[in-house]
């Protein structure tokens, strides 16, 4: 057994503003996050029906917009606000699980 050092989320300065899920998603969109996620899913992940995806640092789980609805998805993030946004957006849509953890 080993101990995992807890990593506190930094929420000062500009990161305080980005703590709001809507601001984070908008900022990601402006910087090309959607096209980057699409490309990563198509070229690298290449998920197929029934695959299991573990997304550490999932943010608001926008990656799910580019994955087949039949994947088994486990998203983890430090931000409880991001996890709540992901749950409200995607819960009930598929076999998706979200957890606030480090």
């Amino acid at each position: 057994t080993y101990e995992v050092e807890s990593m506190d989320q930094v929420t000062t300065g500009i990161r305080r503003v980005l703590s709001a899920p809507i601001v984070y998603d908008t900022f990601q969109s402006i910087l090309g996050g959607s096209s980057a996620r699409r490309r990563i899913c198509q070229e690298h992940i290449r998920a197929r029906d029934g695959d299991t995806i573990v997304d550490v640092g999932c943010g608001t789980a926008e990656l799910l917009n580019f994955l087949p609805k039949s994947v088994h998805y486990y998203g983890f993030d430090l931000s409880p606000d991001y996890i709540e946004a992901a749950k409200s957006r995607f819960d009930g849509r598929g076999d998706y699980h979200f957890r606030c953890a480090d």
Side-chain angles (χ1 to χ4, degrees):
T1 4
Y2 60 92
E3 284 188 40
V4 176
E5 183 178 326
S6 178
M7 303 279 296
D8 291 328
Q9 183 180 10
V10 178
T11 56
T12 57
I14 186 70
R15 291 180 182 173
R16 181 177 188 87
V17 174
L18 293 173
S19 293
I22 188 73
V23 175
Y24 172 80
D25 287 341
T26 301
F27 188 69
Q28 287 283 313
S29 180
I30 290 168
L31 293 178
S34 292
S35 60
R37 285 184 189 92
R38 180 181 297 108
R39 192 170 47 257
I40 288 168
C41 287
Q42 291 172 346
E43 297 175 13
H44 301 286
I45 297 174
R46 294 185 257 178
R48 294 176 293 196
D49 292 340
D51 282 354
T52 298
I53 306 294
V54 177
D55 188 358
V56 178
C58 68
T60 58
E62 286 297 307
L63 190 72
L64 281 170
N65 289 317
F66 307 102
L67 295 171
K69 288 185 170 72
S70 60
V71 298
H72 307 283
Y73 178 89
Y74 298 86
F76 300 89
D77 201 276
L78 288 174
S79 170
D81 292 335
Y82 290 177
I83 291 299
E84 286 307 311
K87 284 180 179 179
S88 70
R89 195 172 297 145
F90 295 108
D91 257 4
R93 184 176 137 189
D95 184 21
Y96 304 155
H97 308 274
F98 307 96
R99 182 155 182 203
C100 186
D102 63 356

XYZ file of all heavy atoms in Angstrom:
806
model
N 0.831 -1.185 0.000
C 0.000 0.000 0.000
C 0.877 1.251 0.000
O 1.981 1.237 0.494
C -0.884 0.076 1.249
O -0.607 -0.973 2.105
C -2.306 0.195 0.916
N 0.305 2.318 -0.508
C 1.006 3.590 -0.530
C -0.005 4.701 -0.346
O -1.194 4.518 -0.548
C 1.777 3.774 -1.848
C 0.912 3.759 -3.064
C 0.402 4.934 -3.584
C 0.582 2.567 -3.696
C -0.408 4.933 -4.695
C -0.225 2.554 -4.805
C -0.718 3.736 -5.308
O -1.528 3.730 -6.410
N 0.484 5.839 0.077
C -0.391 6.989 0.266
C -0.319 7.896 -0.943
O 0.753 8.102 -1.506
C 0.024 7.781 1.503
C -0.382 7.122 2.791
C -0.126 8.014 3.984
O -0.369 9.226 3.891
O 0.330 7.481 4.997
N -1.460 8.423 -1.323
C -1.510 9.385 -2.414
C -1.598 10.765 -1.803
O -2.459 11.028 -0.966
C -2.739 9.127 -3.321
C -2.832 10.180 -4.390
C -2.669 7.733 -3.917
N -0.672 11.626 -2.197
C -0.695 12.991 -1.697
C -1.860 13.727 -2.343
O -2.034 13.695 -3.557
C 0.611 13.693 -2.049
C 0.691 15.086 -1.489
C 2.013 15.744 -1.820
O 3.032 15.038 -1.874
O 2.001 16.957 -2.041
N -2.676 14.349 -1.538
C -3.816 15.093 -2.056
C -3.348 16.371 -2.735
O -2.534 17.105 -2.201
C -4.774 15.439 -0.914
O -5.853 16.187 -1.402
N -3.863 16.607 -3.917
C -3.521 17.801 -4.676
C -4.707 18.764 -4.596
O -5.766 18.469 -5.111
C -3.259 17.453 -6.139
C -2.177 16.432 -6.357
S -0.548 17.118 -6.278
C -0.570 18.210 -7.663
N -4.514 19.875 -3.922
C -5.579 20.868 -3.845
C -5.670 21.613 -5.164
O -4.664 21.913 -5.800
C -5.316 21.864 -2.714
C -5.448 21.219 -1.350
O -6.265 20.296 -1.215
O -4.730 21.644 -0.422
N -6.885 21.922 -5.551
C -7.089 22.682 -6.772
C -6.749 24.143 -6.525
O -7.147 24.727 -5.524
C -8.540 22.547 -7.223
C -8.801 23.249 -8.520
C -10.238 23.120 -8.955
O -11.085 22.658 -8.208
N -10.518 23.543 -10.152
N -6.008 24.748 -7.436
C -5.645 26.164 -7.334
C -6.795 26.990 -7.903
O -7.202 26.799 -9.044
C -4.349 26.457 -8.104
C -4.012 27.940 -8.028
C -3.214 25.619 -7.560
N -7.339 27.886 -7.087
C -8.460 28.729 -7.527
C -8.208 30.186 -7.191
O -9.093 30.888 -6.700
C -9.788 28.260 -6.899
O -9.649 28.257 -5.482
C -10.195 26.886 -7.388
N -7.010 30.649 -7.485
C -6.692 32.060 -7.272
C -6.344 32.690 -8.617
O -6.029 32.002 -9.582
C -5.499 32.218 -6.308
O -4.377 31.515 -6.833
C -5.827 31.696 -4.931
N -6.388 34.011 -8.665
C -6.054 34.716 -9.896
C -7.009 34.353 -11.019
O -8.215 34.224 -10.827
N -6.464 34.165 -12.226
C -7.276 33.823 -13.400
C -7.987 32.492 -13.207
O -9.073 32.268 -13.733
C -6.429 33.823 -14.699
C -7.303 33.623 -15.938
C -5.368 32.737 -14.650
C -8.185 34.781 -16.264
N -7.393 31.627 -12.430
C -8.013 30.307 -12.197
C -9.316 30.434 -11.410
O -10.178 29.578 -11.516
C -7.033 29.389 -11.481
C -5.881 29.013 -12.390
C -4.911 28.126 -11.705
N -3.798 27.817 -12.585
C -2.744 27.173 -12.213
N -2.644 26.729 -10.971
N -1.775 26.935 -13.057
N -9.449 31.500 -10.644
C -10.703 31.720 -9.918
C -11.843 31.934 -10.920
O -12.918 31.383 -10.772
C -10.577 32.916 -8.983
C -11.840 33.185 -8.191
C -11.616 34.343 -7.211
N -12.737 34.485 -6.329
C -12.894 33.827 -5.189
N -11.979 32.976 -4.775
N -13.956 34.016 -4.431
N -11.576 32.725 -11.941
C -12.587 32.972 -12.977
C -12.895 31.686 -13.727
O -14.045 31.369 -14.011
C -12.093 34.067 -13.956
C -13.053 34.244 -15.104
C -11.881 35.376 -13.221
N -11.858 30.917 -14.032
C -12.042 29.669 -14.779
C -12.685 28.567 -13.950
O -13.036 27.519 -14.481
C -10.702 29.179 -15.336
C -10.088 30.065 -16.409
C -8.692 29.584 -16.759
C -10.962 30.112 -17.645
N -12.862 28.799 -12.650
C -13.524 27.817 -11.792
C -14.996 27.666 -12.138
O -15.598 26.634 -11.846
C -13.391 28.216 -10.318
O -12.055 28.125 -9.916
N -15.582 28.680 -12.745
C -16.985 28.607 -13.157
C -17.062 27.774 -14.443
O -16.425 28.120 -15.445
C -17.547 29.997 -13.390
N -17.810 26.674 -14.441
C -17.866 25.796 -15.613
C -18.216 26.509 -16.921
O -17.614 26.217 -17.953
C -18.934 24.765 -15.242
C -18.876 24.712 -13.755
C -18.576 26.124 -13.324
N -19.130 27.451 -16.902
C -19.522 28.147 -18.133
C -18.355 28.978 -18.672
O -18.132 29.044 -19.881
C -20.794 29.009 -17.933
C -21.288 29.558 -19.261
C -20.552 30.127 -16.956
C -21.934 28.525 -20.139
N -17.599 29.600 -17.782
C -16.434 30.382 -18.200
C -15.356 29.453 -18.745
O -14.764 29.710 -19.792
C -15.891 31.239 -17.028
C -14.615 31.960 -17.425
C -16.950 32.220 -16.558
N -15.124 28.345 -18.057
C -14.132 27.357 -18.495
C -14.478 26.840 -19.895
O -13.635 26.804 -20.788
C -14.077 26.210 -17.486
C -13.237 25.043 -17.927
C -11.851 25.075 -17.808
C -13.828 23.898 -18.444
C -11.077 23.997 -18.214
C -13.065 22.822 -18.848
C -11.692 22.871 -18.720
O -10.935 21.801 -19.125
N -15.730 26.431 -20.093
C -16.143 25.904 -21.396
C -16.022 26.951 -22.495
O -15.580 26.657 -23.605
C -17.587 25.380 -21.335
C -17.696 24.064 -20.576
O -16.666 23.367 -20.407
O -18.819 23.729 -20.142
N -16.407 28.184 -22.199
C -16.305 29.267 -23.181
C -14.848 29.534 -23.538
O -14.500 29.656 -24.714
C -16.970 30.548 -22.640
O -18.344 30.267 -22.343
C -16.880 31.680 -23.638
N -13.997 29.595 -22.538
C -12.567 29.818 -22.755
C -11.972 28.687 -23.593
O -11.219 28.925 -24.540
C -11.859 29.938 -21.399
C -10.425 30.343 -21.481
C -10.069 31.623 -21.880
C -9.420 29.453 -21.142
C -8.731 32.009 -21.944
C -8.087 29.820 -21.204
C -7.743 31.101 -21.611
N -12.325 27.456 -23.269
C -11.854 26.295 -24.031
C -12.309 26.388 -25.489
O -11.547 26.095 -26.404
C -12.381 25.001 -23.409
C -11.726 24.624 -22.117
C -10.361 24.027 -22.347
O -10.186 23.166 -23.201
N -9.395 24.483 -21.588
N -13.532 26.805 -25.696
C -14.078 26.933 -27.044
C -13.329 27.994 -27.845
O -12.977 27.778 -29.006
C -15.563 27.274 -26.968
O -16.107 27.391 -28.251
N -13.073 29.133 -27.224
C -12.341 30.219 -27.890
C -10.946 29.761 -28.308
O -10.458 30.108 -29.378
C -12.253 31.462 -26.970
C -13.635 32.106 -26.821
C -11.239 32.470 -27.485
C -13.720 33.148 -25.723
N -10.320 28.947 -27.472
C -8.963 28.468 -27.752
C -8.924 27.258 -28.686
O -7.858 26.724 -28.952
C -8.244 28.119 -26.443
C -7.947 29.298 -25.536
C -7.279 28.831 -24.253
C -7.065 30.324 -26.241
N -10.081 26.827 -29.176
C -10.105 25.704 -30.114
C -10.219 24.348 -29.455
O -9.863 23.330 -30.051
N -10.713 24.319 -28.241
C -10.837 23.063 -27.500
C -11.707 22.026 -28.191
O -11.388 20.840 -28.193
N -12.798 22.465 -28.809
C -13.694 21.509 -29.468
C -13.019 20.810 -30.638
O -13.093 19.587 -30.767
C -14.968 22.215 -29.963
O -15.735 22.629 -28.863
N -12.338 21.559 -31.471
C -11.682 20.921 -32.617
C -10.527 20.038 -32.152
O -10.282 18.971 -32.726
C -11.197 21.964 -33.627
O -10.268 22.842 -33.050
N -9.846 20.439 -31.087
C -8.766 19.609 -30.546
C -9.315 18.305 -29.989
O -8.754 17.228 -30.233
C -8.008 20.367 -29.470
N -10.423 18.377 -29.261
C -11.037 17.155 -28.714
C -11.513 16.238 -29.837
O -11.340 15.019 -29.765
C -12.201 17.519 -27.797
C -11.769 18.063 -26.466
C -12.974 18.324 -25.563
N -12.572 19.039 -24.382
C -12.570 20.352 -24.261
N -12.977 21.118 -25.248
N -12.181 20.932 -23.145
N -12.133 16.815 -30.839
C -12.594 16.013 -31.983
C -11.412 15.285 -32.625
O -11.461 14.083 -32.878
C -13.294 16.884 -33.017
C -13.785 16.096 -34.233
C -14.459 16.972 -35.282
N -15.665 17.596 -34.766
C -15.794 18.900 -34.460
N -14.769 19.734 -34.636
N -16.905 19.386 -33.995
N -10.349 16.004 -32.849
C -9.154 15.420 -33.488
C -8.539 14.325 -32.607
O -8.170 13.260 -33.096
C -8.133 16.511 -33.786
C -7.014 16.082 -34.692
C -6.133 17.233 -35.184
N -5.700 18.173 -34.144
C -6.224 19.391 -33.946
N -7.208 19.839 -34.713
N -5.770 20.176 -32.995
N -8.446 14.575 -31.317
C -7.901 13.578 -30.394
C -8.753 12.313 -30.407
O -8.226 11.194 -30.443
C -7.786 14.156 -28.962
C -6.639 15.162 -28.906
C -7.594 13.053 -27.932
C -6.607 15.997 -27.645
N -10.059 12.478 -30.403
C -10.952 11.314 -30.425
C -10.836 10.541 -31.730
O -10.815 9.300 -31.729
C -12.401 11.748 -30.186
S -12.707 12.216 -28.478
N -10.776 11.238 -32.851
C -10.709 10.583 -34.157
C -9.356 9.945 -34.432
O -9.282 8.841 -34.951
C -11.024 11.584 -35.269
C -12.449 12.035 -35.287
C -12.692 13.170 -36.281
O -11.767 13.792 -36.785
N -13.957 13.441 -36.554
N -8.280 10.648 -34.090
C -6.951 10.197 -34.476
C -6.237 9.349 -33.431
O -5.372 8.554 -33.780
C -6.071 11.403 -34.827
C -6.584 12.180 -36.024
C -5.792 13.444 -36.297
O -4.687 13.607 -35.713
O -6.268 14.276 -37.095
N -6.595 9.522 -32.155
C -5.834 8.836 -31.115
C -6.672 7.870 -30.285
O -6.274 6.730 -30.088
C -5.132 9.847 -30.213
C -4.191 10.731 -30.968
N -2.977 10.289 -31.429
C -4.308 12.023 -31.368
C -2.364 11.269 -32.077
N -3.149 12.336 -32.056
N -7.794 8.325 -29.784
C -8.609 7.460 -28.932
C -9.315 6.384 -29.761
O -9.296 5.215 -29.419
C -9.626 8.279 -28.112
C -8.877 9.231 -27.172
C -10.552 7.361 -27.326
C -9.758 10.191 -26.417
N -9.944 6.786 -30.842
C -10.652 5.879 -31.757
C -11.561 4.884 -31.031
O -11.510 3.677 -31.265
C -9.661 5.153 -32.655
C -8.945 6.100 -33.592
C -8.078 5.363 -34.534
N -6.703 5.513 -34.060
C -5.657 4.970 -34.625
N -5.798 4.214 -35.666
N -4.462 5.162 -34.139
N -12.374 5.406 -30.132
C -13.268 4.571 -29.323
C -14.332 3.918 -30.189
O -14.832 4.501 -31.148
C -13.930 5.416 -28.238
N -14.637 2.685 -29.832
C -15.694 1.929 -30.507
C -16.780 1.597 -29.499
O -16.581 1.713 -28.289
C -15.109 0.655 -31.106
C -14.117 0.946 -32.229
C -13.508 -0.314 -32.724
N -12.686 -0.840 -31.620
C -11.761 -1.753 -31.751
N -11.528 -2.289 -32.915
N -11.063 -2.176 -30.724
N -17.923 1.161 -29.998
C -19.033 0.783 -29.128
C -18.553 -0.185 -28.055
O -17.859 -1.153 -28.352
C -20.150 0.128 -29.941
C -20.834 1.099 -30.891
O -20.725 2.311 -30.660
O -21.470 0.632 -31.845
N -18.897 0.116 -26.811
C -18.567 -0.758 -25.692
C -17.202 -0.533 -25.074
O -16.891 -1.127 -24.041
N -16.354 0.303 -25.674
C -15.037 0.589 -25.089
C -15.199 1.319 -23.755
O -16.199 1.999 -23.517
C -14.193 1.469 -26.019
C -13.573 0.695 -27.165
O -13.692 -0.548 -27.204
O -12.958 1.356 -28.030
N -14.199 1.179 -22.892
C -14.169 1.890 -21.616
C -13.152 3.021 -21.710
O -12.020 2.804 -22.121
C -13.787 0.937 -20.467
O -14.785 -0.092 -20.374
C -13.707 1.678 -19.142
N -13.588 4.212 -21.345
C -12.741 5.403 -21.369
C -12.597 5.919 -19.940
O -13.594 6.125 -19.253
C -13.370 6.522 -22.243
C -13.693 6.034 -23.646
C -12.492 7.762 -22.242
C -12.500 5.668 -24.482
N -11.365 6.135 -19.505
C -11.089 6.756 -18.209
C -10.450 8.104 -18.512
O -9.419 8.175 -19.163
C -10.146 5.889 -17.346
C -9.822 6.598 -16.041
C -10.777 4.527 -17.079
N -11.096 9.167 -18.059
C -10.660 10.533 -18.362
C -10.275 11.230 -17.059
O -11.131 11.673 -16.307
C -11.794 11.262 -19.072
C -11.414 12.621 -19.623
O -10.258 13.050 -19.432
O -12.282 13.251 -20.250
N -8.971 11.291 -16.792
C -8.468 11.937 -15.581
C -8.220 13.406 -15.907
O -7.491 13.713 -16.840
C -7.172 11.258 -15.096
C -6.622 11.967 -13.868
C -7.425 9.787 -14.814
N -8.856 14.272 -15.135
C -8.800 15.702 -15.439
C -9.827 16.038 -16.501
O -9.578 16.804 -17.425
N -11.012 15.466 -16.368
C -12.048 15.539 -17.409
C -12.683 16.905 -17.565
O -13.385 17.153 -18.544
C -13.129 14.499 -17.159
S -14.143 14.785 -15.689
N -12.463 17.815 -16.599
C -13.126 19.112 -16.696
C -14.630 18.915 -16.674
O -15.160 18.198 -15.830
N -15.317 19.486 -17.629
C -16.778 19.357 -17.700
C -17.196 18.221 -18.639
O -18.347 18.145 -19.049
C -17.412 20.682 -18.155
O -16.866 21.046 -19.421
C -17.160 21.783 -17.134
N -16.255 17.354 -18.976
C -16.485 16.140 -19.774
C -16.925 16.422 -21.208
O -17.622 15.623 -21.824
C -17.473 15.205 -19.076
N -16.498 17.528 -21.764
C -16.848 17.871 -23.142
C -16.357 16.830 -24.147
O -16.864 16.750 -25.256
C -16.315 19.253 -23.502
C -17.088 20.383 -22.862
C -18.536 20.421 -23.325
O -18.791 20.441 -24.536
O -19.415 20.421 -22.452
N -15.378 16.031 -23.754
C -14.876 14.967 -24.616
C -16.002 14.022 -25.040
O -15.976 13.463 -26.140
C -13.783 14.183 -23.878
C -12.972 13.190 -24.682
C -12.034 13.933 -25.626
C -12.175 12.294 -23.750
N -17.017 13.870 -24.187
C -18.126 12.971 -24.491
C -18.880 13.356 -25.767
O -19.487 12.510 -26.402
C -19.109 12.913 -23.315
C -18.671 12.015 -22.174
C -19.572 12.212 -20.968
C -18.664 10.570 -22.616
N -18.821 14.612 -26.147
C -19.489 15.047 -27.373
C -18.874 14.420 -28.618
O -19.486 14.442 -29.689
C -19.439 16.572 -27.499
C -20.335 17.249 -26.502
O -21.458 16.823 -26.283
N -19.834 18.298 -25.877
N -17.677 13.862 -28.490
C -16.960 13.322 -29.637
C -16.720 11.816 -29.533
O -15.979 11.248 -30.325
C -15.632 14.067 -29.808
C -15.831 15.551 -29.856
C -15.563 16.339 -28.764
C -16.361 16.149 -30.996
C -15.784 17.709 -28.791
C -16.592 17.515 -31.040
C -16.300 18.299 -29.936
N -17.350 11.183 -28.552
C -17.225 9.743 -28.367
C -18.556 9.065 -28.665
O -19.613 9.685 -28.515
C -16.823 9.436 -26.915
C -15.449 9.916 -26.475
C -15.288 9.747 -24.961
C -14.361 9.163 -27.214
N -18.524 7.786 -29.069
C -19.789 7.067 -29.273
C -20.589 7.044 -27.967
O -20.019 6.926 -26.882
C -19.341 5.651 -29.655
C -17.931 5.779 -30.089
C -17.361 6.953 -29.351
N -21.901 7.155 -28.083
C -22.755 7.170 -26.894
C -22.715 5.850 -26.135
O -23.106 5.778 -24.983
C -24.184 7.522 -27.279
C -24.335 8.974 -27.651
C -25.794 9.317 -27.903
C -26.013 10.786 -28.040
N -25.545 11.423 -29.210
N -22.218 4.795 -26.772
C -22.211 3.475 -26.145
C -20.923 3.150 -25.393
O -20.744 2.023 -24.945
C -22.443 2.412 -27.213
O -21.404 2.481 -28.176
N -20.025 4.126 -25.215
C -18.817 3.856 -24.441
C -19.156 3.865 -22.951
O -20.154 4.447 -22.536
C -17.676 4.875 -24.713
C -17.224 4.829 -26.151
C -18.047 6.264 -24.273
N -18.323 3.212 -22.184
C -18.403 3.252 -20.721
C -17.379 4.308 -20.300
O -16.186 4.128 -20.511
C -18.064 1.898 -20.113
C -18.861 0.787 -20.693
N -20.180 0.551 -20.357
C -18.532 -0.139 -21.620
C -20.623 -0.478 -21.051
N -19.640 -0.912 -21.821
N -17.848 5.399 -19.728
C -17.001 6.564 -19.467
C -16.898 6.820 -17.971
O -17.910 6.846 -17.256
C -17.587 7.783 -20.160
C -16.831 9.071 -19.938
C -15.792 9.439 -20.779
C -17.161 9.915 -18.884
C -15.089 10.627 -20.575
C -16.471 11.099 -18.674
C -15.437 11.445 -19.525
O -14.749 12.617 -19.321
N -15.663 7.029 -17.501
C -15.388 7.381 -16.116
C -14.567 8.665 -16.122
O -13.430 8.672 -16.582
C -14.610 6.260 -15.413
C -15.396 4.976 -15.362
C -15.350 4.075 -16.421
C -16.209 4.682 -14.267
C -16.093 2.907 -16.395
C -16.957 3.514 -14.238
C -16.890 2.633 -15.303
O -17.638 1.481 -15.271
N -15.162 9.751 -15.653
C -14.487 11.043 -15.642
C -14.168 11.485 -14.226
O -15.022 11.415 -13.342
N -12.916 11.919 -14.019
C -12.447 12.377 -12.717
C -11.883 13.788 -12.852
O -11.172 14.078 -13.810
C -11.329 11.461 -12.185
C -11.758 10.039 -12.016
C -11.631 9.139 -13.064
C -12.291 9.607 -10.816
C -12.030 7.824 -12.913
C -12.687 8.285 -10.659
C -12.555 7.394 -11.706
N -12.188 14.643 -11.888
C -11.625 15.992 -11.878
C -11.557 16.488 -10.441
O -12.321 16.041 -9.580
C -12.464 16.949 -12.732
C -11.660 18.172 -13.152
O -11.581 19.133 -12.364
O -11.091 18.143 -14.252
N -10.654 17.433 -10.200
C -10.519 18.043 -8.871
C -11.660 18.999 -8.545
O -11.960 19.236 -7.380
C -9.211 18.836 -8.785
C -7.921 18.053 -8.728
C -6.727 19.005 -8.801
C -7.852 17.230 -7.461
N -12.271 19.564 -9.566
C -13.278 20.597 -9.361
C -14.682 20.018 -9.174
O -15.244 19.434 -10.104
C -13.301 21.556 -10.555
O -14.420 22.420 -10.460
N -15.266 20.216 -7.993
C -16.641 19.756 -7.800
C -17.616 20.474 -8.735
O -18.606 19.884 -9.180
C -16.945 20.058 -6.331
C -15.832 20.892 -5.828
C -14.702 20.809 -6.786
N -17.333 21.732 -9.075
C -18.216 22.471 -9.983
C -18.183 21.876 -11.390
O -19.210 21.768 -12.055
C -17.829 23.950 -10.027
C -18.096 24.666 -8.716
O -18.976 24.209 -7.943
O -17.430 25.678 -8.446
N -17.001 21.498 -11.851
C -16.886 20.879 -13.176
C -17.611 19.537 -13.196
O -18.302 19.207 -14.162
C -15.423 20.654 -13.563
C -14.631 21.897 -13.861
C -13.279 21.791 -14.152
C -15.189 23.173 -13.844
C -12.507 22.919 -14.431
C -14.427 24.293 -14.118
C -13.084 24.158 -14.407
O -12.332 25.265 -14.676
N -17.453 18.766 -12.133
C -18.111 17.455 -12.063
C -19.627 17.627 -12.041
O -20.352 16.906 -12.733
C -17.610 16.654 -10.840
C -16.148 16.249 -11.042
C -18.484 15.430 -10.577
C -15.878 15.347 -12.246
N -20.115 18.583 -11.289
C -21.568 18.830 -11.261
C -22.074 19.255 -12.641
O -23.152 18.844 -13.066
C -21.930 19.863 -10.194
C -21.863 19.324 -8.787
C -22.691 18.052 -8.596
O -23.872 18.014 -8.999
O -22.141 17.082 -8.038
N -21.305 20.081 -13.338
C -21.695 20.495 -14.690
C -21.734 19.290 -15.624
O -22.663 19.139 -16.428
C -20.726 21.548 -15.229
N -20.751 18.410 -15.515
C -20.716 17.201 -16.347
C -21.911 16.303 -16.042
O -22.566 15.785 -16.957
C -19.406 16.441 -16.124
N -22.210 16.135 -14.764
C -23.355 15.305 -14.374
C -24.657 15.868 -14.923
O -25.473 15.130 -15.481
C -23.458 15.197 -12.850
C -22.461 14.267 -12.236
C -22.646 14.240 -10.726
C -21.679 13.302 -10.066
N -21.833 13.292 -8.600
N -24.849 17.169 -14.788
C -26.110 17.756 -15.263
C -26.214 17.690 -16.780
O -27.298 17.574 -17.331
C -26.277 19.188 -14.756
O -25.356 20.045 -15.377
N -25.092 17.738 -17.463
C -25.082 17.718 -18.922
C -25.211 16.307 -19.495
O -25.858 16.110 -20.515
C -23.783 18.354 -19.405
C -23.777 18.734 -20.850
C -22.542 19.541 -21.207
N -22.530 20.802 -20.478
C -21.437 21.398 -20.022
N -20.257 20.887 -20.222
N -21.521 22.530 -19.377
N -24.603 15.314 -18.845
C -24.491 13.996 -19.471
C -25.108 12.832 -18.693
O -25.242 11.748 -19.258
C -23.012 13.661 -19.732
C -22.367 14.580 -20.723
C -21.437 15.523 -20.317
C -22.687 14.510 -22.070
C -20.832 16.372 -21.234
C -22.094 15.360 -22.998
C -21.167 16.291 -22.574
N -25.453 13.001 -17.412
C -26.045 11.882 -16.673
C -27.320 11.405 -17.354
O -28.115 12.208 -17.823
C -26.353 12.282 -15.228
C -25.342 11.731 -14.248
O -24.361 11.100 -14.685
O -25.528 11.927 -13.035
N -27.480 10.113 -17.417
C -28.660 9.536 -18.035
C -28.533 9.366 -19.531
O -29.390 8.765 -20.175
N -27.480 9.883 -20.124
C -27.291 9.785 -21.572
C -26.624 8.465 -21.959
O -26.775 7.993 -23.068
C -26.443 10.965 -22.037
C -26.256 11.023 -23.525
C -25.501 12.258 -23.930
N -24.530 11.880 -24.945
C -23.596 12.651 -25.414
N -23.484 13.875 -24.955
N -22.770 12.242 -26.327
N -25.878 7.902 -21.036
C -25.173 6.665 -21.323
C -24.586 6.091 -20.044
O -24.972 6.478 -18.952
N -23.644 5.173 -20.187
C -22.980 4.578 -19.036
C -21.814 5.483 -18.647
O -20.648 5.173 -18.897
C -22.489 3.168 -19.391
C -21.881 2.454 -18.192
O -22.186 2.843 -17.047
O -21.090 1.521 -18.404
N -22.171 6.638 -18.084
C -21.194 7.657 -17.753
C -21.165 7.866 -16.252
O -22.212 7.962 -15.601
C -21.547 8.995 -18.425
C -21.696 8.935 -19.928
C -22.484 9.854 -20.576
C -21.077 7.947 -20.678
C -22.618 9.824 -21.973
C -21.218 7.909 -22.054
C -21.987 8.842 -22.683
O -22.123 8.791 -24.048
N -19.955 7.938 -15.697
C -19.770 8.105 -14.260
C -18.787 9.236 -14.023
O -17.755 9.306 -14.684
C -19.241 6.804 -13.641
C -20.058 5.622 -14.011
N -21.179 5.247 -13.308
C -19.945 4.741 -15.039
C -21.706 4.183 -13.867
N -20.976 3.860 -14.934
N -19.122 10.113 -13.080
C -18.279 11.277 -12.791
C -17.963 11.302 -11.310
O -18.807 11.030 -10.489
C -19.001 12.577 -13.182
C -19.498 12.568 -14.582
C -20.797 12.218 -14.884
C -18.639 12.889 -15.626
C -21.250 12.207 -16.186
C -19.078 12.875 -16.932
C -20.397 12.547 -17.216
N -16.721 11.668 -11.005
C -16.321 11.716 -9.599
C -15.309 12.831 -9.373
O -14.372 12.984 -10.160
C -15.713 10.387 -9.193
C -15.327 10.381 -7.745
C -15.292 9.035 -7.184
N -14.947 9.160 -5.767
C -14.428 8.216 -5.080
N -14.205 7.049 -5.627
N -14.143 8.399 -3.827
N -15.519 13.553 -8.306
C -14.567 14.576 -7.907
C -13.499 13.882 -7.083
O -13.755 13.374 -5.997
C -15.272 15.654 -7.083
S -14.201 17.038 -6.695
N -12.293 13.798 -7.638
C -11.195 13.093 -6.975
C -9.868 13.542 -7.552
O -9.809 14.097 -8.647
C -11.368 11.586 -7.146
N -8.803 13.280 -6.818
C -7.463 13.527 -7.364
C -6.699 12.225 -7.449
O -7.174 11.178 -7.117
C -6.707 14.561 -6.535
C -6.448 14.143 -5.106
O -6.912 13.080 -4.693
O -5.788 14.907 -4.392
